[in-house]
Amino acid sequence: MDIMGTSEENNEYMVYFPVRLVTNTNGFNFINNIYRRINESKYGKVIFNFQQTNVFETNLIAFLGYAIEKIYSNHILFEIKIGNRSFAGKGQALILKELFDFYSEDKTCALLPRKIGNWNLAEEEQLLLRDLRELKLQEYEKVRTVISELIANLKMHTIYLDGYFAGYHDFKNRQIIFSIVNYDITFANHIKHVQKMEFEDDYAAIIWALKKNNTTRQESGGIGLYLLRKYMSAMQGKFSILSGDSYVECGRMCYNEENENVIRVEKRKVLPHRFEGTVITLYVPDSKSSRIDEKRIAGEICLRWLSEG
């Protein structure tokens, strides 16, 4: 990831976003650091500067949304610079929409950043029953089931019973990326609170939660993350989970039909700073989209910047 910088003076915090901000551990670390700084310090004004950012995978708005929410809840003056435009004094939802409109090539409603949870049932219903269908995914039913289960988990197993959702159409790699984020509790802390179980680390808690029938619900359950593994494997997709300081990534080998609790992790990493919440990201193959080469993407970026001038 490209080097970014920050500046702090006169109680003002300026964040310079990198040229490329994509869905990997560097991207998560970058946004988590912003959230931590805003949460731990008292600023009079915060500025997000995207003027040098050419690529921003808009599913990350689900994660960035919490930093922006913290700014608004603390009554901090907020300004965001995108292209050659500057926005100040706009509502949080409008700021997220501006980011999405500028950086997403695909404006399909299913990818829009939105707050979801017990207090936003209309958004959830629109997403699951109408918007996702517009993507015309070959595995629409499986994708809808997985997202529905993850939203249900968020509404049952978090403190504030809500979270953020956003998507990104990655034409180059022929996939659609969805992220669902809560910022109030990790897997390990929730399981400890409900089941009184202690884990060696956040990674062990994630693996426990991914196994079939492991649940913190009082009644039967425990199939949400199991279906995540089963269906993403069947689709030849992958998913990642960030919880606490642990990041795991699983592909098609994460589900074994002969032994359903055998979980193969493709990538595992301990992050330098904890995130006291959970980010689940789905990478759904999109076989119907045409591959876009680097030259076309670069050309479209140039045209977009010229049109802003």
Side-chain angles (χ1 to χ4, degrees):
M1 188 175 66
D2 302 278
I3 296 174
M4 68 88 186
T6 61
S7 65
E8 297 181 52
E9 55 181 86
N10 300 323
N11 203 28
E12 182 178 289
Y13 177 40
M14 171 85 83
V15 182
Y16 297 93
F17 282 73
V19 173
R20 290 174 54 86
L21 189 58
V22 298
T23 313
N24 55 25
T25 52
N26 286 337
F28 288 131
N29 280 330
F30 180 88
I31 296 174
N32 190 35
N33 187 55
I34 296 171
Y35 180 79
R36 288 190 317 106
R37 295 277 286 276
I38 292 170
N39 197 38
E40 295 169 1
S41 304
K42 293 183 179 180
Y43 297 111
K45 183 176 183 179
V46 173
I47 302 170
F48 285 178
N49 190 332
F50 282 86
Q51 291 177 317
Q52 300 303 315
T53 305
N54 292 333
V55 176
F56 176 42
E57 293 185 350
T58 52
N59 61 293
L60 291 172
I61 296 176
F63 199 2
L64 187 63
Y66 279 119
I68 296 175
E69 185 172 290
K70 179 63 69 173
I71 291 169
Y72 279 87
S73 65
N74 288 349
H75 306 290
I76 301 170
L77 294 176
F78 180 55
E79 182 179 353
I80 187 166
K81 299 176 183 293
I82 309 172
N84 65 356
R85 296 179 298 167
S86 180
F87 303 95
K90 282 198 171 188
Q92 181 180 343
L94 290 174
I95 290 295
L96 300 184
K97 182 67 163 49
E98 290 288 353
L99 273 172
F100 176 82
D101 286 343
F102 190 83
Y103 286 107
S104 181
E105 292 180 79
D106 188 344
K107 310 301 184 198
T108 307
C109 290
L111 307 178
L112 286 170
R114 66 189 84 197
K115 196 79 178 284
I116 52 174
N118 279 349
W119 324 119
N120 304 81
L121 295 179
E123 284 284 358
E124 176 187 344
E125 183 175 316
Q126 179 175 312
L127 171 65
L128 295 174
L129 300 181
R130 191 193 73 183
D131 294 349
L132 281 174
R133 194 180 295 275
E134 292 178 359
L135 288 170
K136 295 182 170 56
L137 291 170
Q138 186 173 343
E139 299 284 2
Y140 160 72
E141 293 292 345
K142 286 187 175 68
V143 174
R144 186 184 69 173
T145 298
V146 169
I147 292 176
S148 177
E149 288 287 340
L150 294 178
I151 292 175
N153 284 348
L154 183 146
K155 293 190 296 182
M156 288 188 292
H157 303 314
T158 60
I159 296 172
Y160 297 113
L161 310 179
D162 62 19
Y164 278 98
F165 173 91
Y168 176 72
H169 200 154
D170 179 1
F171 286 100
K172 178 187 173 186
N173 295 305
R174 301 177 73 181
Q175 63 183 357
I176 295 176
I177 310 174
F178 298 109
S179 287
I180 297 176
V181 187
N182 79 276
Y183 73 105
D184 53 21
I185 197 163
T186 63
F187 280 10
N189 286 339
H190 176 70
I191 298 166
K192 178 180 178 181
H193 175 72
V194 178
Q195 298 280 50
K196 312 304 179 187
M197 294 177 61
E198 296 276 358
F199 293 96
E200 181 180 348
D201 51 28
D202 288 293
Y203 175 76
I206 292 172
I207 297 301
W208 183 91
L210 285 170
K211 292 182 177 180
K212 189 177 183 180
N213 296 324
N214 279 356
T215 181
T216 56
R217 294 176 63 180
Q218 297 305 310
E219 64 274 17
S220 62
I223 65 168
L225 296 178
Y226 159 75
L227 287 178
L228 169 66
R229 288 195 294 118
K230 182 176 181 178
Y231 285 172
M232 294 308 294
S233 175
M235 286 186 278
Q236 303 288 300
K238 67 177 183 178
F239 67 89
S240 69
I241 297 176
L242 164 61
S243 190
D245 67 358
S246 184
Y247 173 86
V248 300
E249 198 171 287
C250 298
R252 63 184 182 87
M253 300 299 291
C254 65
Y255 176 76
N256 183 328
E257 190 172 354
E258 295 180 358
N259 189 337
E260 295 181 314
N261 278 336
V262 171
I263 302 171
R264 179 174 176 179
V265 173
E266 292 188 353
K267 184 182 295 184
R268 172 187 176 186
K269 191 169 185 178
V270 177
L271 302 187
H273 300 291
R274 293 181 59 79
F275 173 59
E276 296 301 337
T278 298
V279 184
I280 300 180
T281 300
L282 316 178
Y283 300 79
V284 179
D286 180 27
S287 58
K288 293 182 179 179
S289 70
S290 57
R291 186 175 292 275
I292 296 181
D293 58 29
E294 293 281 358
K295 191 173 293 186
R296 176 183 164 186
I297 293 173
E300 288 178 350
I301 290 170
C302 290
L303 286 172
R304 185 177 67 202
W305 279 77
L306 286 172
S307 66
E308 291 291 322

